[in-house]
Structure formats: C-alpha cells, structure tokens
Amino acid sequence: MKRIRCVDIKWAVLAASHVGYLLIASGTFSIGVFIHEFNRYFGSASSTTAVIASLPLAMCTFGGPVSLVMVKRFGYRTTVMTAGVLSSAGWFISSFATNIRFLIFSCGLLTGCAYGLAYSAIISIIGYYFPRRSAVAFGIVYSGAGVAILVFPPLYQTLIDVYGWRGACMIVSAFQFHLTLCGAVYREPPSPRQQANENSETNVDRVNSLQDDCDTSNVVLEASVIGDSSLTYQNQQPDSTIQPQNYQPEIGRASCRERV
C-alpha cells in the first residue's frame, strides 16, 4: 500500500483549517446577536448574559495546553473531531435552555471547551505541513475570522427572525458539526524520524534514477565510440591490392644488392 506523503494533502489540510477557524469565529465573534435575544427572553442583567459571550473567547486561549496534550496522545484528527461534537452538542442543548445559568454552561462553557480544543490543533498543524510558506498559510487560515464576522451575524439574525432563537440554535448546531468533517480531513504529520526516512528514501530513488540514466548514456556513448572507431579503422586500413608505382618488394631489393 502506498503511503500518502505530506505534499499530497497539505492543501486539503489548509482548506480544512480555514473552514474550521471560520466555524470557531462564528461561535465566538458572532454570538452577540443571540445575547440580545437572551436578555430580552429571560430578562436577565446584561452583565450576567455577557458571560456567555466571554467564555468561548477566553477558552480558545486557556484550552491551548489541554489541546496540545490531546493532540500528542490522540492525534489531530481525533482532537478536532471531538471538538466538533462538543460544539454541536453545546448549541443543540442550548435550544432547550430554561434559564440563563443553563446557557452559561451549554452555550458558554461547553462550546468554549470545544473551541479551545480545536483552535490550538488547527493552528499548530499548519506549521508541520507548511514549513516554508507558513506566513501565507497562516494568513489564509486567519482570514476565516474575517469571513465569519462579515457573513454570520446577518445570517444569525435572519434565522432568529424566522425560526426564533431556539430554532436558530439548532441550525447553528448543524453548522458547528461541520467542524467534525474538517477534522476528518486531517492526516497525522510524520515524526521527525519518519520525515528523515522519507527524505532519505526520496534521495535514494533520485540517485538510482540518475545512476540508471548515467548507465544508459554510457552504453550509448560506448556503442557510438565503438562504431566510430570501427569506421575509422576501416577507412584507415590500407588496401593490399593497391600498390604504389615505385613499389619494389624486399626480395627484389635484396637480390639487387646481392647482384651488386
């Protein structure tokens, strides 16, 4: 079975990281539309409801060490897919909320833990697949936040107007589940030892191909040299049937001397 190399899937990983960061930004930067509806529905203070908006953003940075531990133990794919399931579950449970404390747990803490797991994994995997063009790759990934801030708040407001905030939470749960699909695209990057072995195998293949080319060229060159030398020998070889006009055999010369 042929092993897939990093260069074969790095662009798919980049696209998955872009979409994954877009989904994370849609749950952290665009949640303000729901905060207004929560205040109006439950009649709670703005300071209490603001905790729902601050927890996911805070957990994106606080969850970094936990995410890296999970990546080291279970891999990038499992970590991001787990984050997608938790995020989708948090938004779905929020549609059945009966008070603001329930929303702080479901829409704030649970989704925040999911975003914290996914954020560090999505960013750190880019460094493995793009060691040379990391600046361009990171720029493409972070551009997902701008797309999310531009697109999702009007979309969320439309969903709330049509389906209410409970129905909108269910639809956002379906959106967040796509983070699981982004994690399914990931392949574990090779360890430094595996990457060194892969590079050595590639170098050996190149050397063998160059050696084969050199052997083939040497055979052709030898054949051409042999052909040229044979032609030269045939051209330079004197014809025994043609004799010069002043040619006298040695025997005749000897006999003349003896006569003298």
Side-chain angles (χ1 to χ4, degrees):
M1 183 177 180
K2 185 179 179 180
R3 184 161 55 88
I4 300 176
R5 297 182 179 180
C6 295
V7 70
D8 299 329
I9 61 170
K10 65 178 182 179
W11 298 110
V13 171
L14 180 62
S17 298
H18 172 79
V19 176
Y21 192 72
L22 183 146
L23 294 173
I24 293 174
S26 68
T28 54
F29 299 116
S30 305
I31 198 174
V33 179
F34 286 93
I35 298 300
H36 176 71
E37 293 295 324
F38 295 157
N39 282 331
R40 187 176 60 85
Y41 186 85
F42 294 105
S44 59
S46 299
S47 59
T48 304
T49 313
V51 178
I52 302 174
S54 61
L55 277 176
L57 191 58
M59 293 300 295
C60 280
T61 55
F62 291 158
V66 179
S67 175
L68 295 179
V69 171
M70 287 193 63
V71 166
K72 187 176 181 180
R73 184 173 180 83
F74 301 105
Y76 287 95
R77 177 188 290 181
T78 303
T79 302
V80 177
M81 293 182 70
T82 302
V85 173
L86 291 177
S87 176
S88 179
W91 280 98
F92 186 79
I93 294 173
S94 299
S95 62
F96 302 99
T98 56
N99 53 54
I100 203 67
R101 294 180 180 177
F102 190 92
L103 287 173
I104 291 175
F105 168 76
S106 61
C107 193
L109 186 61
L110 187 59
T111 59
C113 292
Y115 296 151
L117 292 177
Y119 176 76
S120 297
I122 285 173
I123 299 303
S124 60
I125 196 173
I126 297 299
Y128 287 98
Y129 284 97
F130 292 90
R132 295 182 180 180
R133 302 178 180 177
S134 59
V136 177
F138 282 119
I140 295 173
V141 173
Y142 282 115
S143 65
V147 177
I149 295 172
L150 182 64
V151 173
F152 280 96
L155 178 61
Y156 287 168
Q157 186 61 53
T158 302
L159 294 176
I160 292 172
D161 295 338
V162 176
Y163 302 102
W165 69 268
R166 296 183 185 274
C169 286
M170 292 183 180
I171 296 174
V172 173
S173 173
F175 289 161
Q176 294 295 321
F177 190 76
H178 287 79
L179 189 60
T180 305
L181 302 180
C182 295
V185 176
Y186 288 162
R187 298 292 184 274
E188 298 303 320
S191 62
R193 180 178 298 179
Q194 293 176 350
Q195 192 170 5
N197 293 333
E198 183 179 350
N199 293 333
S200 63
E201 292 176 0
T202 303
N203 293 331
V204 170
D205 294 338
R206 291 179 179 177
V207 170
N208 292 332
S209 63
L210 291 175
Q211 187 174 2
D212 294 338
D213 295 339
C214 291
D215 294 339
T216 304
S217 62
N218 289 333
V219 170
V220 174
L221 181 61
E222 290 177 359
S224 62
V225 170
I226 293 173
D228 294 339
S229 61
S230 62
L231 292 175
T232 304
Y233 176 75
Q234 292 177 1
N235 294 330
Q236 293 179 356
Q237 185 176 7
D239 193 356
S240 60
T241 59
I242 301 174
Q243 298 180 356
Q245 296 179 357
N246 298 327
Y247 174 77
Q248 294 180 358
E250 294 294 332
I251 299 176
R253 292 181 181 179
S255 58
C256 293
R257 291 173 183 174
E258 290 177 356
R259 292 175 184 176
V260 174

